[in-house]
Amino acid sequence: MPDPFRPPPYPYDRLEPLKALAAAHEGGSVDLSVGTPCDPPTSAVVAALAASGAEAGYPPSIGSPAFREAATDWLRRRFGVETSPAAVAACVGTKEFVASVPHLLRLRDPAKDTVLYPAVSYPTYAMGALLAGCRAVPVHVDDQWHLDVSSVDDDDAARALCLWVNSPANPTGAVDDLSAAAAWARAHGVPVFSDECYVEFTWTGPGHTILEHGVDGVVAVHSLSKRSNLAGLRAGFYVGDAELVTYLSEVRKHAGLMVPGPVQLAAGVALADDEHVEVQRDRYRDRLGLMRSAFTAAGAEAPAPEGTFYLWVPAPDGDAWAFTERLAKEAGILVSPGEFYGPAGSSHVRVAVVQPTARLELAARRMRAIA
Ligand SMILES: Cc1ncc(COP(=O)(O)O)c(C=O)c1O
């Protein structure tokens, strides 16, 4: 008999013992451990939510025509990419999509059993493999944290249901070469899912989608959570290869996955507006600068990320848990030890600059005091 499945501890629950230490500081703890936005969504989005009139009936699982059109309009505006609304489908935030894709792909192709994902990455890629009873095979990232698709073993590629890429990347901030990922997908006949939820927070130049390199064999995954401060709404979409999007949206319809009607309407309003994203970009840029100099002052040099709202900071003596504990105890700051994102991240900590600037200034003052 196989062992019964027991979910592992949720990564952030492992920080529980440090929370009381951080909270004991005058002014309380400054929680930079989770990438949850703290700034408000626009009032137009909140008004749309309240006035949608979409509460009574079941919403379309694939997404309303207005929501899907808002998504294709945004792709055109932001990236110059033309897609048909028929190639877009809604998801209930993207975490559930990331976690469930391997299971759904395996139903279609039971002979394959492997999910490929970046060696240092958002933990849900590996979790989706585990939940589908698949092998989770990490793909090498280089010393600048960029994904090295050329390193994938041929046997692993032959067994792969999909490869996940994430650019800009959580937790490292790395911006990847998405043309290489798209070419790899086509050369190996393995779908590439490109998680692009941080694309609006690209700092090295304009943000990119994998769809700029064609849609065959690739699916881009987008979220409203970070772009528009709507993590509480649970709205995202996936778009790309018509056959893959059709298959996934059909199965997901049977499974009852639906973005609530009022949320679809409000998410469409958010996608149609780019101004609030500019405001948010400025906030994160300032906060990244503020916390980078605070970490440097405390003896932990934090490189500038290529994207995202995370700093990926080498622990001064290579021990990320010890550094995490020290920050909680001595500065009342909670961060995430890099091990949450894979063993190759175990000498770094991730710092999410998602607290209001005044809280980050408090954190920076405390850090300077422990330097
Ligand atoms: C890389 C990445 N993908 C997906 C998600 C999930 O976002 P949501 O489920 O809110 O769309 C997150 C959230 O932190 C993330 O960092």
Side-chain angles (χ1 to χ4, degrees):
M1 266 253 301
D3 289 341
F5 176 65
R6 285 197 186 82
Y10 198 70
Y12 300 101
D13 292 346
R14 295 172 61 199
L15 292 176
E16 218 46 57
L18 298 184
K19 286 190 180 162
L21 289 179
H25 283 253
E26 196 184 326
S29 79
V30 181
D31 190 347
L32 310 180
S33 64
V34 182
T36 184
C38 72
D39 301 295
T42 68
S43 52
V45 168
V46 178
L49 199 57
S52 74
E55 293 86 359
Y58 287 107
S61 171
I62 196 168
S64 66
F67 175 65
R68 293 158 79 204
E69 203 171 306
T72 53
D73 285 350
W74 175 72
L75 289 166
R76 185 181 308 112
R77 270 198 329 275
R78 261 294 183 249
F79 309 109
V81 163
E82 282 300 333
T83 44
S84 140
V88 181
C91 54
V92 193
T94 55
K95 187 179 176 98
E96 65 83 2
F97 183 80
V98 172
S100 61
V101 152
H103 172 61
L104 303 186
L105 293 178
R106 199 174 192 194
L107 288 174
R108 192 175 68 150
D109 200 350
K112 297 200 172 174
D113 68 349
T114 295
V115 173
L116 302 167
Y117 65 100
V120 178
S121 60
Y122 180 54
T124 310
Y125 305 129
M127 183 50 61
L130 190 66
L131 295 176
C134 286
R135 295 162 73 226
V137 175
V139 177
H140 177 67
V141 291
D142 68 17
D143 58 0
Q144 297 299 305
W145 312 103
H146 296 123
L147 188 67
D148 177 10
V149 284
S150 71
S151 71
V152 177
D153 183 86
D154 283 345
D155 291 340
D156 289 332
R159 292 170 70 172
L161 290 160
C162 66
L163 163 69
W164 281 101
V165 299
N166 175 215
S167 178
N170 173 12
T172 64
V175 169
D176 278 328
D177 176 358
L178 294 174
S179 72
W184 185 92
R186 289 168 200 143
H188 293 83
V190 176
V192 167
F193 286 78
S194 179
D195 181 349
E196 299 170 359
C197 64
Y198 296 100
V199 70
E200 300 273 28
F201 309 121
T202 303
W203 310 120
T204 47
H208 291 291
T209 172
I210 199 164
L211 304 177
E212 290 166 37
H213 310 288
V215 295
D216 285 349
V218 302
V219 174
V221 183
H222 284 280
S223 173
L224 273 293
S225 297
K226 321 283 180 183
R227 175 190 186 274
S228 300
N229 300 328
L230 291 173
L233 226 53
R234 312 309 303 140
F237 62 89
Y238 53 104
V239 46
D241 186 281
E243 196 266 324
L244 273 169
V245 170
T246 304
Y247 167 72
L248 291 169
S249 62
E250 284 296 315
V251 190
R252 291 168 55 84
K253 183 160 67 177
H254 285 294
L257 286 156
M258 284 172 267
V259 177
V263 172
Q264 293 197 30
L265 199 99
V269 169
L271 273 173
D273 175 43
D274 298 325
E275 230 174 271
H276 72 282
V277 183
E278 283 306 314
V279 173
Q280 196 59 41
R281 279 171 60 85
D282 288 345
R283 285 185 185 127
Y284 286 140
R285 205 189 278 107
D286 290 350
R287 290 171 187 170
L288 284 166
L290 172 65
M291 290 313 289
R292 264 188 86 199
S293 58
F295 271 86
T296 302
E301 200 79 43
E306 293 174 329
T308 75
F309 47 59
Y310 302 113
L311 293 177
W312 183 237
V313 190
D317 57 4
D319 182 343
W321 270 105
F323 190 40
T324 302
E325 206 170 306
R326 180 167 168 238
L327 287 169
K329 221 185 262 177
E330 296 180 19
I333 297 167
L334 285 170
V335 300
S336 296
E339 174 203 308
F340 286 5
Y341 313 97
S346 63
S347 59
H348 285 63
V349 299
R350 190 195 74 173
V351 183
V353 302
V354 289
Q355 291 292 329
T357 303
R359 298 292 295 164
L360 293 176
E361 280 164 352
L362 170 67
R365 279 198 301 279
R366 287 177 181 170
M367 287 193 65
R368 289 197 169 93
I370 68 165

